[in-house]
Amino acid sequence: MTPLIRSMLAALCALAIMPAAASAATTLQPGAYHETDAGSCTLNFVYTAGTTTYLGTAAHCVERIGQRVRDIENVEFGSVAYIGDADVTEWDFAFIQVDPEDLARVSPAVKGWPAYPKGHTVPSDTLLGDSIQLSGYGLGYDTTKTTQEQRTAVFAFDDTELYAVDGPIHWGDSGGPLVHKRTGKALGIVSRLCVGTCTEEGPTVQGILAKSAIDFVPVALKTVP
């Protein structure tokens, strides 16, 4: 075998074992699965600060700044950049800074609902009984596309920092997006589950943006065109 042929074969073997490009992996968007060594949860909305892009999750879904985060195909796509307070519902949010090579696969559109979000709610937008859209990977709901993307909850309460809804939310949905269907606006993220006569609660997106500006950096919610 000539040196040239050996060189060509070596190059072909190297290509065969290279991992797929990040751009070919799953879309990173609200309602998509993510995991760390702490466990699996659901991504919420896309946020930006200057040229930096963040994906949101719950504070209780991550453990430390710099922790690497993987998608459903076990591909790393970013690092934890901020953690609120997992013990305080209004502060139960975190930001994952997306790696530069993965920015092309980030979409602000909610999984299964490409027209959401159109902004974020304020209390004057919402009414008792409004329909709330859920997308996520809750236990038992993660097995089919329909159960991942076609769940709805009933709105109960909100103020500038906290919301409450009644709906089919389970472990694994934590961190995921809730959208106020009538307006198409982001309401909040999944935080506290409910068993019995109670409602699920979590931080509003309005509150997340305000708290981020105080404790981290000012971020903006990325919306669909």
Side-chain angles (χ1 to χ4, degrees):
M1 183 181 297
T2 67
L4 177 59
I5 293 175
R6 280 198 298 270
S7 177
M8 291 175 64
L9 287 174
L12 288 171
C13 288
L15 286 172
I17 62 174
M18 286 177 63
S23 61
T26 188
T27 302
L28 302 171
Q29 64 186 134
Y33 174 97
H34 79 83
E35 67 178 26
T36 67
D37 294 339
S40 61
C41 285
T42 299
L43 297 170
N44 61 73
F45 303 101
V46 180
Y47 307 86
T48 59
T51 59
T52 304
T53 296
Y54 301 99
L55 287 159
T57 189
H60 70 263
C61 290
V62 297
E63 296 171 311
R64 64 186 183 278
I65 302 299
Q67 184 175 32
R68 296 294 288 167
V69 187
R70 302 178 293 273
D71 66 17
I72 199 168
E73 297 177 347
N74 204 37
V75 176
E76 291 186 351
F77 65 84
S79 299
V80 177
Y82 173 83
I83 305 173
D85 187 340
D87 296 323
V88 179
T89 302
E90 294 90 333
W91 285 87
D92 188 20
F93 65 94
F95 294 124
I96 302 159
Q97 183 172 338
V98 180
D99 295 337
E101 62 269 26
D102 291 282
L103 291 173
R105 61 188 183 111
V106 173
S107 169
V110 175
K111 190 172 183 290
W113 296 87
Y116 301 154
K118 297 184 179 300
H120 68 79
T121 60
V122 296
S124 59
D125 290 325
T126 54
L127 295 170
L128 180 66
D130 280 349
S131 183
I132 304 300
Q133 172 59 40
L134 309 170
S135 289
Y137 282 78
L139 182 65
Y141 298 117
D142 58 342
T143 55
T144 72
K145 182 178 175 65
T146 298
T147 53
Q148 290 166 18
E149 302 172 2
Q150 302 297 326
R151 285 176 282 153
T152 56
V154 177
F155 175 83
F157 163 83
D158 71 342
D159 58 23
T160 59
E161 298 182 286
L162 185 73
Y163 75 82
V165 300
D166 184 10
I169 300 174
H170 213 317
W171 309 111
D173 284 320
S174 289
L178 287 85
V179 176
H180 184 246
K181 294 183 74 171
R182 179 164 50 80
T183 61
K185 295 179 180 180
L187 170 67
I189 73 170
V190 175
S191 172
R192 305 291 187 240
L193 303 184
C194 166
V195 178
T197 307
C198 52
T199 55
E200 288 85 7
E201 298 179 342
T204 64
V205 171
Q206 181 183 12
I208 288 172
L209 297 178
K211 290 175 174 61
S212 175
I214 296 169
D215 200 48
F216 180 49
V217 296
V219 298
L221 174 70
K222 192 167 185 179
T223 60
V224 296

